[in-house]
Amino acid sequence: MKNIKDYNLDELKKELEGLGEKPFRAEQIFKWLYVDKVKSFDDMTNLSLDLREKLKQSYDICNFTIERKLESKDGTKKYLFGLADGNAIESVLMEYHHGKSVCVSSQIGCKMGCTFCASTGIPFMRNLSTGEIVEQIIAIEQDNDCKVSNVVFMGIGEPMDNYDNVINAIDILNNHKGLNIGARHISVSTSGVVPRIYDFADKKIQCTLSISLHSANNEVRSSMMPVNNTYNIEKLMEACRYYIEKTNKRISFEYALAKDNNDNLDDAKQLVDLLHGMLCHVNLIPINKIENGKYSKSSLENIMKFRDYLNDHGIVATIRRELGSDIDAACGQLRRKSLGTEKIN
Ligand code: SAH
């Protein structure tokens, strides 16, 4: 059966018309799903019993079970959600001074094969549906009785490899009749799937685009990210320039520093040459070590030197505050752990 949360508002109107109903019913259902967050059609009390029955026969409401929840000493919470088909995904809630931010997964597993990322260690199973992406935020809001203000597509998976569902999910998140999260408070991070960056630019979506760059050198970047063999740095930068030209928006480049791999001043110099004059910001991340991983963190002193070099040479760079590393919730530490094979705390 189809999940009713897979439809954005316009699509839901068409579905309702297909059931012989007026489009405003879709707005009522949208409000029940995303404002009142009800878990069953029976709770939609301003719909006729007849319509509720029709909806039950045609659609499911995607509801997750919380299989496991871990809380970090810094307040970050990591959730393992059970999905209807028995799969599981992880999402993270982080507290910042500007509000609550959720890091969502976009796929079950990941195909990109980045050599420093824990999500690589698990086979790709499938894309998440639109409803399954959105449900991560709803389930977290309900569990914490809170309003989420920011969403980052930085969990498991490559959002640009599940483009249509991600775009549809953003539509629901952003809709003021839906979860009402401002587009400027939604970030999509990609390893560099170039054709989709062009699509994203053409759609003029107001979200922040983050690019996982990690090196300005093709040889080093290919050794960290196999996607670079298909779309090298030159092709990626061309797409980034197109995006900036089309949207006039700043790109955020992510750069995870690994000791003696991409963290010396020569690397910083190459990065300055690459990004010079571009409307961008660099987010430096101390690389998080993963199980059997070959990379280790740069020292904080080195990371600060790297940042200072960039800032002194006209590139705005900041060091990302590390959250949730004690519960394996930090960047690159998420992985789909199958249910049952792990102790539930
Ligand atoms: N597939 C997307 C989004 C998921 S990863 C992408 O590649 O951008 C989110 C961010 O965490 C990316 O910048 C990714 O490169 C980074 N990351 C992955 N593993 C990491 C690790 N071990 N340490 C630090 N950052 C990591």
Side-chain angles (χ1 to χ4, degrees), residues 110 112 114 116-118 153-155 157-159 189-191 212 214 225 254 256 285-290 320 331-332:
C110 185
M112 305 316 289
C114 299
F116 50 89
C117 179
F153 283 80
M154 293 191 185
E158 167 51 55
S189 178
T190 178
S191 55
S212 300
H214 305 318
M225 309 179 73
E254 285 154 289
I285 317 167
I287 209 161
N288 288 302
K289 195 158 173 48
I290 57 166
R320 185 183 287 169
C331 290

Side-chain angles (χ1 to χ4, degrees), residues 106-133:
S106 55
Q107 297 180 311
I108 303 180
C110 185
K111 296 183 207 158
M112 305 316 289
C114 299
T115 53
F116 50 89
C117 179
S119 303
T120 295
I122 42 169
F124 176 78
M125 302 280 286
R126 65 172 174 85
N127 283 332
L128 291 181
S129 69
T130 295
E132 288 169 333
I133 295 171

Side-chain angles (χ1 to χ4, degrees), residues 76-94:
T76 300
K77 292 180 190 166
K78 181 168 76 165
Y79 288 85
L80 181 74
F81 291 119
L83 312 187
D85 67 354
N87 272 301
I89 48 162
E90 288 189 332
S91 323
V92 179
L93 170 66
M94 293 161 290

Side-chain angles (χ1 to χ4, degrees), residues 89-247:
I89 48 162
E90 288 189 332
S91 323
V92 179
L93 170 66
M94 293 161 290
E95 304 261 358
Y96 289 99
H97 62 271
H98 56 263
K100 292 187 189 326
S101 188
V102 169
C103 176
V104 292
S105 294
S106 55
Q107 297 180 311
I108 303 180
C110 185
K111 296 183 207 158
M112 305 316 289
C114 299
T115 53
F116 50 89
C117 179
S119 303
T120 295
I122 42 169
F124 176 78
M125 302 280 286
R126 65 172 174 85
N127 283 332
L128 291 181
S129 69
T130 295
E132 288 169 333
I133 295 171
V134 172
E135 187 61 19
Q136 296 171 62
I137 292 114
I138 298 176
I140 287 180
E141 285 193 344
Q142 284 197 305
D143 188 51
N144 294 277
D145 195 16
C146 73
K147 180 83 189 92
V148 166
S149 53
N150 290 67
V151 174
V152 294
F153 283 80
M154 293 191 185
I156 298 166
E158 167 51 55
M160 297 290 192
D161 189 34
N162 183 16
Y163 185 79
D164 291 341
N165 292 347
V166 166
I167 297 295
N168 233 8
I170 291 173
D171 195 329
I172 296 173
L173 295 179
N174 185 219
N175 194 316
H176 69 281
K177 291 178 174 157
L179 284 163
N180 196 20
I181 298 172
R184 282 179 186 77
H185 299 273
I186 301 173
S187 294
V188 176
S189 178
T190 178
S191 55
V193 183
V194 162
R196 297 292 85 75
I197 296 173
Y198 284 101
D199 293 341
F200 202 70
D202 287 337
K203 266 196 166 276
K204 296 208 171 78
I205 295 174
Q206 288 301 310
C207 306
T208 303
L209 177 64
S210 294
I211 303 281
S212 300
L213 186 60
H214 305 318
S215 174
N217 174 298
N218 273 314
E219 205 178 316
V220 177
R221 189 166 192 269
S222 293
S223 73
M224 300 176 79
M225 309 179 73
V227 65
N228 198 63
N229 293 312
T230 311
Y231 306 114
N232 64 17
I233 293 174
E234 291 69 33
K235 288 182 184 149
L236 179 59
M237 286 302 135
E238 228 171 274
C240 289
R241 279 190 287 271
Y242 180 84
Y243 172 86
I244 293 168
E245 196 186 296
K246 278 271 166 171
T247 64

